[in-house]
């Protein structure tokens, strides 16, 4: 069966590709100004501190889940014609028991026409935010997430902040969340700004989206320009895992190719921008040759 | 000194627990709290437990928001609480 986003192998590949730029992960979020603290350590203590930093970075780089869109709820519980015309507005009833998880809460709407129906997902999200407020969410989703304003954000290169806001505001399976994420990934791919997301927790999701739609060429070129051969090979192995019926996957399995060979086979069969990738490959090989020679 | 004990916890002769709507909020802006209290208490006075709320004015999306703590409601109804007429109507509407 097709491997899902949450498989161990897939997650490990994506984590390797995300890179571990400690400076960027621990870049200070805007807080009160404090003079920096200096500590005096021996070498062993420094290693210990770097190890702890790597563990915490791994925590911070955990990817948010990628789920399918949730389906709209359309359940009618009762229809009481007696109540028709008695009221002027809808009533929304929310179950406020503290110990039920938010997915299982009863949130019911009684329309002025007497129809008693379950609330839609947007109404559910709003009510839950009103009665059980969560940090970083607003009751009405900010206007920023509409399509015309997303263009503005992209021009300012603030994709990462936008995606963090999106995670805080929406559920992972709401259509708004998915739409905003797809728009962001498309824009990054059109302008080849992969490096903006490289050390953040959104990189895995972006790679998953691109591989599912077979638009991996730009990312491959970017990796070759930065001499990241391991990342390129892991990208191609992921591609083969997801699309096992394509010719390059079969060739790779027969020959059990590694490294540069794998990329060449992939380039010949799958990619649209063959010329660019060949150029990048040649540049990389020349760079490798000069570095090994000198 | 504060008289503790008997003064703070008033005991009634023949009163019973009611679930009713207590009015709060500002001028021209009512807001009801669904409350379990003794029959003889003031409408907005000390209650036993708050079980939810009702906002009688429709909000930006044209809805009247109400919240009900069903678990505690069941407990009080099991203990033998009575309902006031508006509280009955509300619970009837939500089914």
């Amino acid at each position: 069966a097709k491997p899902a986003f949450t498989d161990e192998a897939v997650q490990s590949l994506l984590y390797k590709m995300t890179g571990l730029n400690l400076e960027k992960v621990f870049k200070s979020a805007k807080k009160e100004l404090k003079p920096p603290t200096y500590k005096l350590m021996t070498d062993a203590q420094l290693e210990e501190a770097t190890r702890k930093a790597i563990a915490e970075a791994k925590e911070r780089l955990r990817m948010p889940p990628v789920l399918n869109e949730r389906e709209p709820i359309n359940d009618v519980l009762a229809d009481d014609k007696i109540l028709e015309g008695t009221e002027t507005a809808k009533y929304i009833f929310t179950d406020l028991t503290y110990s039920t998880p938010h997915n299982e809460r009863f949130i019911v709407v009684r329309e002025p026409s007497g129809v008693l129906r379950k609330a839609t997902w947007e109404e559910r999200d709003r009510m839950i935010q009103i009665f059980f407020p969560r940090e970083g969410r607003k009751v009405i989703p900010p206007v920023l997430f509409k399509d015309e304003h997303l263009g503005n954000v992209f021009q300012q290169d603030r994709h990462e902040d936008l995606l963090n806001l999106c995670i805080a505001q929406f559920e992972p399976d709401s259509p708004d969340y998915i739409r905003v994420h797809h728009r962001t990934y498309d824009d990054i791919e059109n302008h080849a700004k992969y490096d903006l997301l490289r050390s953040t927790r959104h990189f895995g999701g972006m790679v998953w989206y691109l591989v599912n739609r077979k638009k991996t060429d730009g990312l491959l070129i970017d990796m070759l320009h930065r001499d990241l051969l391991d990342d390129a090979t892991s990208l191609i192995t992921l591609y083969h895992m997801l699309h096992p019926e394509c010719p390059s996957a079969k060739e790779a399995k027969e020959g059990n190719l590694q490294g540069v060979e794998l990329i060449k086979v992939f380039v010949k069969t799958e990619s649209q921008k063959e010329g660019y990738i060949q150029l990048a490959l040649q540049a990389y090989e020349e760079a490798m040759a000069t570095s090994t020679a000198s | 000194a504060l008289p503790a004990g008997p003064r703070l916890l008033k005991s009634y002769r023949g009163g019973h627990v009611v679930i009713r709507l207590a009015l709060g909020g500002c001028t021209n802006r009512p807001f009801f709290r669904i409350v379990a209290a003794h029959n003889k208490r003031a409408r907005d006075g000390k209650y036993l437990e708050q079980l939810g709320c009702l906002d009688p004015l429709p909000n930006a999306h044209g809805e009247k928001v109400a919240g009900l703590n069903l678990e505690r409601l069941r407990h009080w109804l099991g203990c033998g609480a009575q309902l006031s007429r508006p509280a009955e109507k509300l619970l009837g509407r939500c089914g």
Side-chain angles (χ1 to χ4, degrees):
Chain A
K2 261 184 103 165
F5 185 70
T6 43
D7 285 346
E8 280 290 328
V10 174
Q11 284 285 319
S12 56
L13 280 176
L14 290 174
Y15 179 67
K16 261 197 304 174
M17 281 202 272
T18 316
L20 207 65
N21 191 359
L22 282 176
E23 307 260 309
K24 194 172 173 191
V25 171
F26 289 112
K27 196 163 63 171
S28 46
K30 284 189 181 150
K31 288 185 204 160
E32 298 171 11
L33 277 178
K34 270 186 305 186
T37 47
Y38 296 99
K39 287 188 199 162
L40 194 58
M41 291 194 225
T42 59
D43 274 334
Q45 279 176 332
L46 187 65
E47 281 172 20
E48 165 96 32
T50 36
R51 256 187 292 131
K52 268 197 232 167
I54 290 178
E56 210 196 301
K58 196 162 181 184
E59 261 302 305
R60 287 204 197 180
L61 286 180
R62 257 194 327 195
M63 290 163 229
V66 174
L67 306 162
N68 301 324
E69 274 188 39
R70 60 193 177 192
E71 290 157 13
I73 315 176
N74 272 328
D75 241 350
V76 166
L77 294 171
D79 198 2
D80 299 313
K81 291 288 183 234
I82 334 170
L83 291 173
E84 210 173 318
T86 46
E87 295 133 37
T88 45
K90 301 191 266 188
Y91 278 86
I92 290 201
F93 296 98
T94 324
D95 176 20
L96 297 179
T97 15
Y98 194 65
S99 54
T100 41
H102 290 318
N103 309 357
E104 298 171 7
R105 259 176 218 287
F106 291 113
I107 303 190
V108 176
V109 177
R110 170 79 77 175
E111 307 264 351
S113 65
V115 170
L116 186 67
R117 61 172 177 86
K118 288 194 185 170
T120 56
W121 284 109
E122 288 85 24
E123 286 164 1
R124 280 188 74 96
D125 282 336
R126 257 190 298 132
M127 289 302 124
I128 291 177
Q129 180 56 17
I130 289 177
F131 286 112
F132 301 98
R134 236 179 80 164
E135 219 186 85
R137 271 196 200 191
K138 302 202 179 150
V139 177
I140 307 174
V143 191
L144 183 64
F145 293 117
K146 301 227 163 87
D147 290 323
E148 53 269 9
H149 302 111
L150 288 176
N152 240 342
V153 179
F154 296 146
Q155 272 169 7
Q156 293 177 4
D157 276 353
R158 288 160 79 180
H159 305 79
E160 191 183 331
D161 304 324
L162 173 71
L163 286 179
N164 286 339
L165 265 182
C166 186
I167 290 183
Q169 175 72 33
F170 297 116
E171 302 275 314
D173 53 357
S174 82
D176 277 321
Y177 176 98
I178 295 178
R179 172 183 60 90
V180 169
H181 274 259
H182 287 344
R183 282 290 307 272
T184 324
Y185 298 147
D186 284 330
D187 189 79
I188 291 182
E189 201 225 311
N190 290 341
H191 300 273
K193 291 181 186 167
Y194 304 102
D195 206 39
L196 282 170
L197 290 191
R198 189 146 257 144
S199 242
T200 63
R201 50 192 182 136
H202 311 289
F203 197 75
M206 185 177 78
V207 173
W208 182 258
Y209 174 74
L210 294 175
V211 173
N212 273 343
R213 280 157 185 73
K214 303 194 177 184
K215 289 187 189 169
T216 49
D217 301 325
L219 187 56
L220 201 54
I221 297 173
D222 188 66
M223 281 176 183
L224 287 175
H225 279 310
R226 290 168 208 274
D227 297 337
L228 296 162
L229 190 62
D230 302 324
D231 287 355
T233 39
S234 47
L235 176 65
I236 300 181
T237 31
L238 189 66
Y239 188 96
H240 291 329
M241 269 168 37
L242 276 178
H243 301 279
E245 68 285 343
C246 66
S248 63
K250 292 180 192 145
E251 280 194 39
K253 250 196 322 189
E254 288 161 18
N256 204 10
L257 311 166
Q258 302 291 333
V260 188
E261 307 295 317
L262 193 61
I263 309 181
K264 286 183 185 158
V265 165
F266 181 76
V267 162
K268 264 187 292 189
T269 49
E270 288 301 317
S271 57
Q272 280 92 31
K273 298 186 193 167
E274 269 198 62
Y276 289 107
I277 306 189
Q278 300 278 8
L279 273 175
L281 257 180
Q282 280 172 5
Y284 176 72
E285 277 167 356
E286 281 163 18
M288 288 293 295
T290 47
S291 63
T292 46
S294 64
Chain B
L2 253 186
R7 257 316 228 170
L8 286 177
L9 188 60
K10 200 163 179 196
S11 52
Y12 295 107
R13 195 212 74 157
H16 49 89
V17 177
V18 211
I19 297 182
R20 60 191 183 193
L21 272 49
L23 184 65
C26 307
T27 326
N28 288 328
R29 194 9 177 142
F31 181 79
F32 293 106
R33 283 171 294 153
I34 301 164
V35 138
H38 279 117
N39 186 24
K40 301 287 182 185
R41 278 275 183 204
R43 181 195 70 193
D44 294 340
K46 188 162 152 184
Y47 49 77
L48 295 161
E49 188 174 353
Q50 178 174 358
L51 306 168
C53 55
L54 163 68
D55 177 14
L57 301 183
N59 67 5
H61 300 265
E63 300 142 359
K64 294 189 186 174
V65 176
L68 301 157
N69 192 341
L70 292 173
E71 188 210 332
R72 296 305 296 168
L73 248 185
R74 276 174 56 143
H75 165 77
W76 284 112
L77 289 170
C79 287
Q82 294 177 0
L83 294 167
S84 69
R85 193 43 81 81
E88 269 180 8
K89 279 199 211 167
L90 192 69
L91 291 181
R93 278 202 204 105
C94 72

